[in-house]
């Protein structure tokens, strides 16, 4: 990591995957970035993440984001990596794994931006997983 965006991050930002809404999503959550590095409060950075869950697996993941290059690239990669994962696997996914998939190309000063996606995801997935494991044999 350093001062500039890496090639992989810029590719992901210029061609983001999984942007949009899922009308039949099983889990939708919104989040403002609590540690946004933008200058003017309140934070202008806002995320909406949609997950379609088929039995115990994430079938589809989409996002809408008002955020910086780092956050767009991170959410693009995060949603791509979530698809096909079981909920248990998704819960174990770390910020570091996604940064690694982006070849560590996010500048140091922007490393707090990806928190907008991963921390909220895990906060929301855990209760969903617990609730559904009591009501479904498939989970
Ligand atoms: Fe707000 Fe990066 S500056 S998400």
């Amino acid at each position: 990591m350093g001062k500039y965006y890496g090639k992989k991050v810029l590719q992901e930002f210029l061609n983001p995957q999984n942007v949009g809404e899922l009308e039949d999503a099983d889990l939708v959550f919104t989040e403002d970035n609590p540690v946004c590095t933008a200058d003017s409060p309140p934070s202008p950075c806002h995320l909406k993440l949609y997950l379609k869950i088929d039995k115990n697996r994430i079938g589809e993941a989409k996002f809408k984001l008002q955020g910086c290059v780092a956050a767009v690239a991170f959410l693009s990669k995060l949603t791509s990596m979530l698809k096909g994962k079981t909920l248990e696997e998704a819960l174990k996914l770390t910020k570091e794994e996604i940064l690694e998939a982006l070849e560590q190309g996010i500048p140091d000063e922007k490393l707090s931006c990806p928190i907008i996606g991963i921390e909220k995801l895990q906060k929301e997935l855990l209760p969903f997983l617990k609730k559904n494991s009591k009501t479904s044999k498939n989970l």
Side-chain angles (χ1 to χ4, degrees):
M1 287 167 261
K3 289 175 90 172
Y4 305 105
Y5 287 109
K7 188 176 164 192
K8 189 93 176 169
V9 171
L10 291 174
Q11 283 171 346
E12 205 76 39
F13 170 71
L14 292 172
N15 215 344
Q17 310 297 304
N18 313 308
V19 175
E21 297 178 21
L22 279 177
E23 284 186 15
D24 58 347
D26 297 297
L27 190 57
V28 180
F29 61 82
T30 59
E31 174 82 323
D32 291 317
N33 193 349
V35 289
C36 186
T37 55
D39 292 335
S40 54
S43 167
C45 301
H46 181 74
L47 165 71
K48 197 159 188 182
L49 186 63
Y50 305 81
L51 298 178
K52 179 77 190 151
I53 297 165
D54 185 17
K55 296 184 180 159
N56 190 33
R57 228 166 253 285
I58 296 174
E60 192 62 60
K62 287 197 178 276
F63 73 99
K64 289 177 78 178
L65 176 77
Q66 181 178 312
C68 68
V69 172
V72 171
F74 189 87
L75 264 297
S76 173
K77 186 55 79 182
L78 169 66
T79 48
S80 295
M81 289 173 77
L82 283 175
K83 286 191 207 176
K85 284 207 174 357
T86 64
L87 297 182
E88 291 85 355
E89 289 168 343
L91 272 171
K92 289 181 192 157
L93 194 60
T94 65
K95 177 181 166 184
E96 286 67 32
E97 286 174 84
I98 298 156
L99 291 174
E100 193 57 48
L102 290 170
E103 298 175 351
Q104 304 292 344
I106 293 181
D108 297 341
E109 68 180 38
K110 288 290 183 181
L111 280 174
S112 59
C113 295
I115 288 172
I116 194 170
I118 195 86
E119 287 191 348
K120 182 73 172 181
L121 170 77
Q122 296 181 335
K123 244 186 258 169
E124 299 285 336
L125 265 185
L126 192 57
F128 184 88
L129 181 63
K130 283 180 180 166
K131 184 177 142 212
N132 286 286
S133 63
K134 286 179 192 158
T135 56
S136 170
K137 289 183 179 170
N138 295 323
L139 290 170

